[in-house]
Amino acid sequence: EGRKKFDIFFRNLTSGLSSAFPVESSIYDYCFNKEKKSWVGWMDTIPEFHISPNLSYSEIMVPTVDTVRYTYILDLLLRHSKNVLCVGPTGTGKTSIIKNKLTKEMDSKFTPVFINFSARTSANQTQDILDAKFDKRRKGVFGPPAGRRYVIFIDDLNMPGKEKYGAQPPIEILRQWMDHEGWYDRKQLEFKKIIDIGFVCAMGPPGGGRNPVTPRFTRHFNVIHFTEFEDDSVRRMFETILSNFLRNFSVPVQQAAKSIIDATIELYNTITTELLPTPSKSHYTFNLRDLSKVFQGILAAKSINEPRDLVRLWCHECCRVFQDRLIGLEDRYWFQKLLETKMFKFLKVSWEEVIGTLDRLLYCDFMIPNATPK
């Protein structure tokens, strides 16, 4: 909502200028091209994307307006030695975007270091992990090998529990470096200056085991807020992945891909709106990872002979990802009716045509000898 309001405000502010924003979409979808002296879409700044056949499903990173925009800002800040804090709900791609940037798109002088915080992480563990990475440059000064710069990525920054007086010890040891460029050696009791490092951190909003982080620490960061993906971005991601997978199957099966994606997105949006968490159903939290699991299951298929087989497989994956999490017959019955509605609306087939009279739809291979070689 805030972005929509700012979009209207900024358009009114710049309406009389010669370089006004295009009206096709939000101002957040454009960047300024200095050579052309005009606004261009973020997607026009990158080459055409092709999925490598050697990538596993978890390694596929389809660029969207959101990911291109976040990656550009992240790259700009890191190259100017700024610390970055990425904040957003679960399933908005924070970890994926940062890891992809650090491992595949940075210059060789930048070396990534990955650390995951948990509720049990201590200050000593954090210090020991980082100290093990540093070389001695000269007396009292430590850092990465000469000519390199460490970019330390800390995921789930706000997971560590608070101690008696409200501080989070792992964050306090990092804050000591932010304020004083080093920390004390616990054995020699001498101060160690640490140079040529920078931090990228990711965290979700407080709640569900996550804690608020002290402003004394966050003041050292440039904050990037990751919002939920728009439906168009989600559609582009999964349409690219599913179309690439189905290209080896018959044309009718390929043509069903768009309807499958539209049905899944609308199904997901309805579930996240209607099935909200309550004290007795606290696990009713759905995010983009659940939506991704539906397509991950479809991509595990070895053969799909006709569109009806694809629809049947899609129904199975939706049931395994969403319905199996529901408790109580009422919620399960509600989900099945919702699935039947979306199936008929987008795929123009009824439940009976695809599933028949089966009480439960299950795909498995444990009855096939040697189906999973070990």
Side-chain angles (χ1 to χ4, degrees), residues 25 71 148 201 207 346:
S25 54
T71 302
R148 295 293 185 92
C201 303
F346 290 96

Side-chain angles (χ1 to χ4, degrees), residues 116-367:
N116 274 75
F117 275 2
S118 70
R120 305 294 295 173
T121 304
S122 68
N124 288 353
Q125 286 175 339
T126 305
Q127 185 178 352
D128 291 341
I129 290 170
L130 292 175
D131 279 343
K133 304 285 185 182
F134 300 140
D135 293 348
K136 186 173 182 179
R137 294 285 190 89
R138 55 186 183 273
K139 182 175 174 59
V141 179
F142 295 79
R148 295 293 185 92
R149 178 178 177 83
Y150 280 158
V151 179
I152 301 167
F153 172 43
I154 299 177
D155 203 4
D156 293 325
L157 176 72
N158 56 348
M159 283 296 287
K162 294 188 174 184
E163 43 97 82
K164 181 179 178 181
Y165 299 101
Q168 294 166 279
I171 288 177
E172 293 304 313
I173 192 69
L174 299 178
R175 188 168 72 86
Q176 188 172 13
W177 179 83
M178 302 277 184
D179 290 335
H180 305 289
E181 295 188 341
W183 47 61
Y184 281 89
D185 187 306
R186 300 199 307 276
K187 294 181 180 178
Q188 304 296 329
L189 302 181
E190 294 178 350
F191 188 79
K192 299 167 62 173
K193 185 176 181 180
I194 301 167
I195 61 174
D196 294 336
I197 66 171
F199 286 88
V200 181
C201 303
M203 69 180 194
R210 298 185 176 90
N211 300 292
V213 177
T214 173
R216 293 178 176 180
F217 182 67
T218 56
R219 71 187 180 91
H220 293 284
F221 288 88
N222 293 272
V223 180
I224 302 175
H225 183 246
F226 283 60
T227 58
E228 299 278 2
F229 285 108
E230 297 287 340
D231 283 353
D232 289 341
S233 295
V234 176
R235 187 174 289 105
R236 171 183 161 79
M237 282 192 291
F238 294 117
E239 192 170 338
T240 302
I241 294 171
L242 189 59
S243 299
N244 180 74
F245 170 71
L246 294 178
R247 66 184 180 183
N248 298 321
F249 298 100
S250 64
V251 174
V253 171
Q254 295 177 33
Q255 292 171 343
K258 187 178 184 303
S259 299
I260 289 283
I261 292 164
D262 290 340
T264 311
I265 292 174
E266 190 160 316
L267 181 76
Y268 167 76
N269 288 337
T270 305
I271 290 171
T272 53
T273 304
E274 300 291 334
L275 293 181
L276 300 174
T278 65
S280 62
K281 303 171 183 177
S282 57
H283 61 289
Y284 279 22
T285 52
F286 302 94
N287 56 56
L288 202 61
R289 290 177 185 169
D290 300 302
L291 187 61
S292 176
K293 287 176 184 174
V294 173
F295 294 100
Q296 185 177 10
I298 293 175
L299 264 61
K302 302 298 181 185
S303 64
I304 302 175
N305 298 323
E306 58 178 1
R308 190 167 298 182
D309 293 337
L310 179 61
V311 176
R312 189 180 298 115
L313 176 60
W314 171 75
C315 289
H316 171 264
E317 296 305 323
C318 290
C319 290
R320 299 292 72 76
V321 172
F322 298 116
Q323 190 179 43
D324 286 358
R325 193 183 296 185
L326 307 181
I327 56 174
L329 294 177
E330 183 181 350
D331 287 349
R332 290 172 176 270
Y333 180 77
W334 176 87
F335 174 82
Q336 181 157 333
K337 289 300 178 185
L338 176 67
L339 187 61
E340 291 177 18
T341 303
K342 302 304 178 190
M343 187 192 306
F344 188 78
K345 176 181 177 181
F346 290 96
L347 301 163
K348 310 303 180 188
V349 291
S350 66
W351 180 269
E352 290 73 20
E353 289 179 77
V354 176
I355 311 302
T357 57
L358 295 175
D359 291 333
R360 178 168 294 187
L361 177 64
L362 285 174
Y363 277 71
C364 58
D365 61 5
F366 56 80
M367 293 297 290

Side-chain angles (χ1 to χ4, degrees), residues 79-150:
R79 292 185 188 281
H80 289 81
S81 303
K82 305 297 183 183
N83 299 314
V84 185
L85 175 60
C86 300
V87 183
T90 303
T92 50
K94 300 184 297 295
T95 302
S96 303
I97 291 172
I98 294 170
K99 284 188 174 180
N100 185 70
K101 181 64 189 175
L102 296 182
T103 55
K104 298 179 182 178
E105 299 180 9
M106 295 296 287
D107 296 340
S108 57
K109 75 171 185 176
F110 293 97
T111 303
V113 176
F114 300 106
I115 301 176
N116 274 75
F117 275 2
S118 70
R120 305 294 295 173
T121 304
S122 68
N124 288 353
Q125 286 175 339
T126 305
Q127 185 178 352
D128 291 341
I129 290 170
L130 292 175
D131 279 343
K133 304 285 185 182
F134 300 140
D135 293 348
K136 186 173 182 179
R137 294 285 190 89
R138 55 186 183 273
K139 182 175 174 59
V141 179
F142 295 79
R148 295 293 185 92
R149 178 178 177 83
Y150 280 158

